[in-house]
Amino acid sequence: MSSFEDWLPWLVLVFTAVSIILLLLPFFPLSFGSEHRFVKVSSQSEVRVQLVVLGDIGRSPRIQYHALSIAKHKGLVDLIGYKASDLHPDIQTNPHVTVHSLAAAPGWLKTDKQWLFIILAPLKVVHQTCSLIYALGYRTPPAKWLLVQNPPTIPTLLIAQIICFIRNTRLIIDWHNFGFSILGLKLGSGHPLVQLSELFERTFCATASAHLVVSDAMGRVLKAHWRLKGPILTLHDRPFAHFQPFSENQRMDFLANCSETAFAIDGIRSGKTKVLVSSTSWTPDEDFSLLLAALLDYANIAASTQRHLPDILAVITGKGPQKEAFLSNVKIMADQGRLKKVCLKTAWLSAEDYAKLLASADLGVSLHRSSSGVDLPMKVVDMLGVGLPVIGWDDFVSWPELIQDGINGRGFHTSAALSELLVGLFGQDSKQLKRLREGAMLEGKRRWDDEWDPIAGKLLGLCT
């Protein structure tokens, strides 16, 4: 296998060469039947922004919030990405936002097997390259700004740089994480493709007009170790308007009508059942076996030494590749009778119902393990927006920017520590949970608009 990995970078270079040829196609005297074919933007034109995410728009809340904020200030938005799930309702009805769906890659290009991924990934990059060129250069009119979500990095940053050069557009990179660090979770940090990905990322981000980052820690890393020409601005994720706290009556009404919780409503009303909620894309950066191990410990303690402990109804929302394996493990343990006093449910909810579920829960859990150490999980922001206290994996640098331990949440980095937190917060010491909820309510008062207007809004020329 080592010999295969030796010549693999050359294979990647071949596919890169093919991609470059495709990039040059717009310069040939061909007609693609589009009035927008690589027209340059006028310096006097209105504020139009192309927003690009090489992922599912519906599962990319931050890019949707950017779109709504720009539209709120009368800017025009071309939102470009895959449309695999429902969008925010306001996106679909806003006259200032136009959604341009990218063609999904063929199913045979998708795989969870590492050796096959190495072969198919370059082919997928070629497909994505063609889709992006067509969307950015032909389907959409010229824009003053192009804001691209990173990651995914390849081939997004290269295409964005070329489009901006041809169209006289200014590039903003919205950093959620580092693309190479996420690839490293799949292939290992020392893999040649991961090293190539880091080189690609460093090369094609360098000349962007500006950079938005989700944490101060990420900004410090970029300033210290990356040679970036544009300003680096921290734009923390904040909850959007539909994440609001619930009254007790609202909470009970929702839980009584939600299919995942309705069966336990009597226990919830009496306080004998607590609702635990988490969300995930079921990817390697979140280890739900840790939650399962903690719930097993809780079940054992509740059935033996601390019988006063309430039942836990854990609802996990989201879709992703590792979901079925997790559910298989849950079924085995339930069949063995090892999950007494614990019930696990999975769900896929609309944005509106997801916000309501968070507002109705007793405690939120985040199992996000930062691949870079400097990103932050959006789910925690959403939880704080409804006043839901959070316990989460805290073994990374940027975690304290979001959670102040003992004030609006708690941290852990072992299943034993997570189990201990569940026993403590759901046990007789209910005052601690109440204090954390008060802290979460306070943190959740700062909203997306409060953060976006003076930073991104000012950068785009939409806010003074």
Side-chain angles (χ1 to χ4, degrees), residues 165-400:
F165 175 77
I166 294 172
R167 282 189 152 183
N168 193 30
T169 296
R170 283 172 258 181
L171 176 63
I172 301 172
I173 300 176
D174 190 25
W175 294 82
H176 293 212
N177 206 340
F178 300 138
F180 75 90
S181 71
I182 293 178
L183 185 60
L185 292 176
K186 192 179 189 79
L187 302 179
S189 59
H191 195 281
L193 280 183
V194 176
Q195 295 171 357
L196 185 64
S197 175
E198 182 177 3
L199 177 62
F200 183 99
E201 195 164 10
R202 287 178 177 273
T203 300
F204 293 108
C205 74
T207 58
S209 297
H211 304 266
L212 300 175
V213 295
V214 296
S215 72
D216 292 328
M218 182 178 290
R220 289 193 295 270
V221 169
L222 289 175
K223 288 175 183 176
H225 304 293
W226 297 56
R227 297 176 180 176
L228 305 181
K229 295 183 178 179
I232 300 170
L233 308 172
T234 300
L235 179 66
H236 284 111
D237 284 318
R238 295 293 176 185
F240 210 65
H242 62 289
F243 289 98
Q244 296 290 340
F246 265 5
S247 67
E248 187 64 16
N249 287 338
Q250 287 175 308
R251 178 174 176 264
M252 291 302 161
D253 285 345
F254 176 79
L255 294 174
N257 290 285
C258 176
S259 59
E260 287 75 23
T261 58
F263 72 96
I265 192 61
D266 289 340
I268 295 171
R269 283 198 176 108
S270 66
K272 294 180 179 179
T273 299
K274 298 295 183 182
V275 179
L276 186 76
V277 67
S278 187
S279 64
T280 178
S281 52
W282 297 103
T283 49
D285 63 341
E286 293 180 304
D287 183 8
F288 271 78
S289 65
L290 189 146
L291 175 62
L292 188 54
L295 290 173
L296 282 171
D297 286 346
Y298 181 93
N300 290 333
I301 293 169
S304 56
T305 58
Q306 299 193 43
R307 294 180 177 271
H308 63 277
L309 287 172
D311 292 358
I312 290 180
L313 170 56
V315 182
I316 305 170
T317 70
K319 291 180 180 179
Q322 297 184 348
K323 179 179 176 180
E324 294 307 318
F326 174 79
L327 290 178
S328 296
N329 288 335
V330 170
K331 185 178 186 304
I332 291 171
M333 293 178 182
D335 290 345
Q336 293 172 346
R338 299 171 63 191
L339 285 176
K340 292 177 181 178
K341 298 194 71 109
V342 171
C343 179
L344 283 123
K345 295 284 185 179
T346 58
W348 176 248
L349 304 174
S350 67
E352 183 181 0
D353 282 345
Y354 172 63
K356 290 179 179 178
L357 176 63
L358 295 186
S360 303
D362 294 291
L363 186 63
V365 175
S366 170
L367 294 166
H368 175 79
R369 296 190 183 192
S370 174
S371 63
S372 63
V374 293
D375 69 317
L376 286 169
M378 186 88 173
K379 72 192 77 178
V380 174
V381 175
D382 297 337
M383 291 171 183
L384 296 174
V386 299
L388 180 65
V390 181
I391 55 176
W393 178 270
D394 66 350
D395 194 18
F396 55 101
V397 176
S398 54
W399 177 256

Side-chain angles (χ1 to χ4, degrees), residues 390-449:
V390 181
I391 55 176
W393 178 270
D394 66 350
D395 194 18
F396 55 101
V397 176
S398 54
W399 177 256
E401 292 185 38
L402 199 54
I403 294 296
Q404 297 151 29
D405 199 73
I407 296 176
N408 57 7
R410 297 293 306 274
F412 61 84
H413 47 271
T414 66
S415 61
L418 174 54
S419 174
E420 184 178 337
L421 284 174
L422 293 175
V423 170
L425 293 173
F426 287 157
Q428 294 178 334
D429 186 15
S430 59
K431 290 182 179 179
Q432 184 182 178
L433 186 59
K434 183 180 178 181
R435 285 196 305 272
L436 294 180
R437 183 173 290 276
E438 290 170 352
M441 287 279 193
L442 187 62
E443 179 67 24
K445 286 182 177 180
R446 184 166 175 82
R447 295 279 149 174
W448 172 259
D449 287 342

